[in-house]
Amino acid sequence: MPRPLPFVLLLCLGGCLEFEQTVTLEADGSGRQAVVMTLREAALEDLRRTAGAAQLGAVSNPSAVFERDLVAAELAPAGMELLRHVTRRTAVHRTVELEAAFPDFAALQRSPLCGTGAEWVLGAGPRPGTAKLTLYPQGRAAWTEARAKAESLAASTDPVAADFFRKRRQQLAGLDVVVRLRLPGDVLVWTRNLEKTGDREVTARITADKLGTPEELIRWLAPRFEVIFDATGCKLPL
């Protein structure tokens, strides 16, 4: 399956990978989803082993994302159209840049480009004329479980978890994962794992220096990104 990668595998690959995803939502619920991914050739085999060991079943053929026809075929059942697919290859790295259009929000909810567990939620905001967009890259249940686990780790001392984290953090050097959301109205409120990077844009960037504790790593493995924006004049399926 040519899905770029489940969020948990992005962090498992660590410094082997650079990943950037931009979702642009228009006022009628349509939009575009763009992905740029660069990883080492050697990481493809590591990824196959990681997926199999974790029994995630979402990346049985990680290299398929570099095949235009396979990506287009995967997008079609979601009602999405592949607009652009460019690949580059060196002796060390492979890069893919792709962009797809979704006709409505329901198609974005079916998009395979965030991985099999991703959940998108669009609802009314806290005030009239506002809307709230939420993305759970690993799903709402995974976010709830991760939050509880992180709180438990923060409240206790687990030497095994601490030792594992120290070793894992060394492997995360060079990690660079970006998730960017562009909205059809001005951004009003956003979760603290996001940064407002434009009047109508928020961005999450995950790097090794943001993973200072085991609980922070747990939270990033199954995060929630949420933004409230001005929906005046929008025709969104709230």
Side-chain angles (χ1 to χ4, degrees):
M1 303 171 74
R3 305 165 185 206
L5 299 179
F7 212 75
V8 65
L9 288 185
L10 295 179
L11 297 189
C12 287
L13 284 172
C16 297
L17 176 138
E18 296 177 4
F19 180 90
E20 181 174 332
Q21 180 163 188
T22 301
V23 175
T24 303
L25 182 67
E26 302 293 350
D28 62 354
S30 65
R32 297 190 178 194
Q33 190 170 13
V35 170
V36 180
M37 181 173 69
T38 297
L39 73 163
R40 292 178 179 272
E41 288 280 0
L44 284 172
E45 184 57 36
D46 291 341
L47 179 55
R48 293 188 185 96
R49 290 196 297 267
T50 301
Q55 298 181 342
L56 295 173
V59 191
S60 58
N61 181 14
S63 61
V65 72
F66 298 97
E67 302 294 333
R68 182 185 180 93
D69 291 344
L70 294 178
V71 174
E74 182 74 13
L75 291 170
M80 300 179 67
E81 177 188 2
L82 183 61
L83 303 177
R84 187 170 66 93
H85 186 279
V86 179
T87 60
R88 296 188 299 276
R89 188 171 187 170
T90 69
V92 179
H93 295 95
R94 295 184 72 175
T95 298
V96 59
E97 299 181 12
L98 65 90
E99 184 175 18
F102 51 90
D104 50 40
F105 188 73
L108 175 62
Q109 290 177 304
R110 297 189 297 268
S111 171
L113 296 180
C114 272
T116 55
E119 292 184 40
W120 292 89
V121 182
L122 181 63
R127 298 198 306 269
T130 65
K132 180 170 64 176
L133 177 66
T134 307
L135 168 59
Y136 301 92
Q138 289 295 106
R140 192 196 306 253
W143 169 71
T144 301
E145 182 179 351
R147 183 175 61 172
K149 178 63 175 177
E151 292 173 352
S152 175
L153 284 173
S156 64
T157 301
D158 186 339
V160 176
D163 183 61
F164 171 81
F165 173 74
R166 282 193 296 269
K167 295 176 181 178
R168 190 72 192 97
R169 194 170 188 275
Q170 294 175 356
Q171 299 170 338
L172 291 172
L175 174 72
D176 194 355
V177 176
V178 175
V179 178
R180 182 180 297 106
L181 304 176
R182 292 175 176 161
L183 295 311
D186 289 348
V187 171
L188 304 174
V189 182
W190 55 97
T191 48
R192 61 183 180 180
N193 56 2
L194 290 168
E195 178 184 355
K196 185 178 179 182
T197 48
D199 290 341
R200 298 186 173 190
E201 179 183 282
V202 290
T203 302
R205 186 162 194 170
I206 309 168
T207 55
D209 60 347
K210 291 186 176 181
L211 305 175
T213 64
E215 51 268 28
E216 287 174 339
L217 175 59
I218 292 294
R219 288 182 183 276
W220 277 113
L221 285 172
R224 178 195 66 172
F225 304 126
E226 191 167 88
V227 57
I228 297 172
F229 60 94
D230 182 4
T232 304
C234 294
K235 298 180 180 179
L236 298 169
L238 304 180

